[in-house]
Amino acid sequence: MRILDEDRNKALNNITLLLTKEEAMQILSDLDDLVNGDTKGDHYHINNNDFSKEITVALYDENKIDDFFSKRYEKLIKYDK
């Protein structure tokens, strides 16, 4: 698991997600699509109602980092920094 605070460009170790039922249902649906290959892409964005907050979920393989990931994400995946 890798967690990046994009606002501060900092790797995180612990976070708390406080979600509405609708947001939790969206994450469940998107994760199911990612895991089962029913996705149009390899990541999803889950937003609150006014789009002021966002969670991005993506799959990665430490041994095969593809072009989808930027250099910043590559560093996070490889070194957790």
Side-chain angles (χ1 to χ4, degrees), residues 19-45:
L19 305 170
T20 65
K21 186 173 183 176
E22 292 78 17
E23 292 163 345
M25 289 170 50
Q26 185 64 52
I27 288 175
L28 284 171
S29 173
D30 292 347
L31 288 174
D32 184 59
D33 288 347
L34 281 171
V35 170
N36 292 308
D38 298 333
T39 178
K40 297 179 185 112
D42 46 11
H43 72 287
Y44 281 100
H45 302 276

Side-chain angles (χ1 to χ4, degrees), residues 1-21:
M1 174 186 296
R2 301 293 185 261
I3 306 168
L4 179 65
D5 176 343
E6 291 188 9
D7 291 338
R8 292 172 187 81
N9 193 27
K10 180 180 178 188
L12 302 175
N13 294 319
N14 299 291
I15 63 168
T16 300
L17 293 177
L18 302 174
L19 305 170
T20 65
K21 186 173 183 176

